[in-house]
Amino acid sequence: MGSDGSKPDFKELSKQSKYSTKELNEWYKKFKKDFPSGKINRPQFIELYKKMFGGESGVGADVNDFCEQIFRRYDADGDGTISFQEFMTTLSVASRGTPTEKLRWAFSMYDTDGNGYLTQKEITEILTAFYKSRGKENPGLRAIETAKEILKSADDDGDGRLSEAEFIRHSSNCDAIKEMLEGF
């Protein structure tokens, strides 16, 4: 379906995303102009992220770790590049998804081992990357403290990790989880 850089089936992609075939065609023209190979690699993605969100990052902020987390989520097939289909499917959730769809997307990005739970280590890693990308002081220490706060307030069953349901349930009333979601 165009994952090799060839023109995708817009009708099929429209069913998988929240974009019309006309919108997808316009996006595709821009995508191919910016990425003639039909794929976005990691360095290109980091540059794209900096262009899109550079104003939010602190001067000299290190966005590489945070971009790697986001890149991994966009690169659904794990081939090290983002195809137009992957880009649009993920962008669809990020820009036009329901609040619950966006929370599920964020949870899956944070769940780096894919086991359906967020551990203190995973929360700390994403927060450290996020804080670095925003130029915050002492990002590692701040991330550890915030991860502990999240688990203390949102780990309902006390198992030392957050399920997707706990993450979603507490996303509106836990300030630390709200802070995790600032990047989206």
Side-chain angles (χ1 to χ4, degrees), residues 49-69:
Y49 183 89
K50 285 178 181 177
K51 285 179 186 173
M52 291 172 59
F53 300 106
E56 295 177 19
S57 300
V59 176
D62 181 2
V63 299
N64 294 340
D65 291 343
F66 192 62
C67 284
E68 181 61 36
Q69 297 290 336

Side-chain angles (χ1 to χ4, degrees), residues 118-120 151 155 157-162:
L118 299 182
T119 62
Q120 181 172 338
L151 287 170
D155 179 17
D157 60 10
D159 65 354
R161 58 192 185 170
L162 287 187

Side-chain angles (χ1 to χ4, degrees), residues 65-81:
D65 291 343
F66 192 62
C67 284
E68 181 61 36
Q69 297 290 336
I70 297 171
F71 183 89
R72 185 181 52 77
R73 185 61 181 105
Y74 271 81
D75 180 19
D77 65 6
D79 72 352
T81 63

Side-chain angles (χ1 to χ4, degrees), residues 147-180:
K148 286 179 183 176
E149 181 184 332
I150 288 170
L151 287 170
K152 182 180 176 187
S153 64
D155 179 17
D156 295 333
D157 60 10
D159 65 354
R161 58 192 185 170
L162 287 187
S163 67
E164 183 181 72
E166 289 169 327
F167 179 80
I168 291 170
R169 185 170 38 256
H170 291 281
S171 64
S172 62
N173 62 5
C174 176
D175 289 339
I177 291 178
K178 287 180 192 175
E179 185 176 23
M180 278 179 80

